[in-house]
Amino acid sequence: MKKAHKKLGISLSILMLLLSSQFIVTELVVPEKEWFEYIGEPNYAELMPEHFGDWERLSDDYERVTVSPEIEQRVNELYSESVTRIYRNKETQNVIMVSLAYGSDQMFPNQVHRPDACYPAQGFKITSKTFDTLPFQNAEIPISKLVAKRQFRNENVMYWIRLGNGLANATMDLHYNRIYLAAYGYRADGLLFRVSHISNDTLTSYEIQSKFVSDFLGSLNNDDRKYFIGGFWK
């Protein structure tokens, strides 16, 4: 790990190959080690707090997206762990739904599935999608925002993806993170962290979600926080 910067050129060269064919890269770079073994396999059900700040956990059946048996089976096949939590702010009564999907192997074709595809599969229509950054301490978290509608339900969604050691938003960033670790012999793991809030006021909804994320990450110690936003080594 101490020679990480010296090997940066290697990963960049591999990334250029990826632009021409991701399958060629898969053949050239065959990771023999698991990233989750290096960082310690996370248990997200235990990492999610019961309460923090003004937020308290509600029972899981309070309000959630109904998942079809077919999709639930596919989720179980793809991910090592999936966690759903629902929190309510004791002061404002705002309710935030949190969904985590973690896969220990994110090499092709085992990749986290974005909400962009999961929501339409549940009968929602994506009416808006934007990319943004969420300030946290001295960093900025690259996030995606969606507005998903189904009948009278308007769900505002915010999510990010940790792939291996860092966060990724664009597809090429995901490729880069995956290939960068592969250059060191590691198969990347991946976490999809999604929060959503039901409201017709999208702007206010995203402000509520941003406050929730800031409170949540701020409640974690430095070691636990890395499982959500990366930064295990520089």
Side-chain angles (χ1 to χ4, degrees):
M1 295 303 176
K2 295 180 179 180
K3 299 181 179 180
H5 294 293
K6 294 182 180 180
K7 291 189 176 182
L8 179 59
I10 297 176
S11 59
L12 289 175
S13 298
I14 296 173
L15 183 62
M16 294 303 295
L17 289 174
L18 178 62
L19 292 173
S20 60
S21 173
Q22 66 185 32
F23 300 104
I24 293 177
V25 176
T26 304
E27 293 297 325
L28 291 176
V29 182
V30 183
E32 298 179 352
K33 298 176 290 185
E34 304 290 351
W35 182 247
F36 74 86
E37 293 180 346
Y38 173 77
I39 65 176
E41 187 170 11
N43 184 328
Y44 284 101
E46 292 185 358
L47 288 173
M48 295 296 291
E50 292 294 305
H51 54 82
F52 57 92
D54 292 330
W55 301 93
E56 59 182 358
R57 180 186 173 187
L58 301 178
S59 61
D60 292 344
D61 59 355
Y62 179 81
E63 188 172 17
R64 62 191 302 178
V65 176
T66 302
V67 179
S68 69
E70 293 80 6
I71 291 181
E72 185 173 7
Q73 179 181 357
R74 182 59 176 157
V75 167
N76 293 334
E77 292 173 353
L78 277 175
Y79 302 121
S80 309
E81 183 183 11
S82 58
V83 179
T84 300
R85 293 286 185 268
I86 302 170
Y87 293 92
R88 179 174 59 195
N89 188 293
K90 293 179 289 185
E91 297 297 325
T92 64
Q93 301 303 303
N94 289 314
V95 174
I96 292 289
M97 293 173 286
V98 185
S99 178
L100 288 76
Y102 173 76
S104 58
D105 180 2
Q106 290 297 298
M107 299 302 288
F108 304 111
N110 302 319
Q111 308 177 64
V112 293
H113 284 193
R114 297 172 182 266
D116 315 39
C118 297
Y119 272 84
Q122 292 296 302
F124 285 84
K125 180 180 180 180
I126 305 298
T127 62
S128 174
K129 178 179 179 179
T130 57
F131 299 100
D132 204 350
T133 56
L134 185 65
F136 176 73
Q137 295 184 353
N138 296 323
E140 290 189 336
I141 300 174
I143 59 173
S144 297
K145 296 177 179 179
L146 302 176
V147 178
K149 292 187 177 183
R150 186 176 66 182
Q151 297 179 343
F152 300 106
R153 179 182 179 125
N154 192 82
E155 189 164 344
N156 304 289
V157 182
M158 178 186 296
Y159 72 88
W160 71 78
I161 297 174
R162 176 186 67 77
L163 195 76
N165 193 50
L167 300 178
N169 195 342
T171 300
M172 284 309 303
D173 292 334
L174 292 170
H175 291 333
Y176 176 81
N177 285 14
R178 184 183 293 109
I179 299 305
Y180 187 87
L181 282 184
Y184 292 92
Y186 286 100
R187 296 177 186 269
D189 67 345
L191 169 73
L192 172 69
F193 188 96
R194 185 194 80 203
V195 296
S196 62
H197 178 247
I198 299 174
S199 172
N200 291 325
D201 186 347
T202 298
L203 182 60
T204 300
S205 182
Y206 284 139
E207 291 176 352
I208 294 170
Q209 292 178 70
S210 298
K211 180 65 165 63
F212 173 86
V213 169
S214 180
D215 290 346
F216 168 74
L217 292 176
S219 72
L220 303 173
N221 62 50
N222 290 333
D223 290 335
D224 289 346
R225 189 183 301 126
K226 293 176 182 178
Y227 289 112
F228 293 91
I229 60 175
F232 296 94
W233 54 272
K234 303 297 184 182

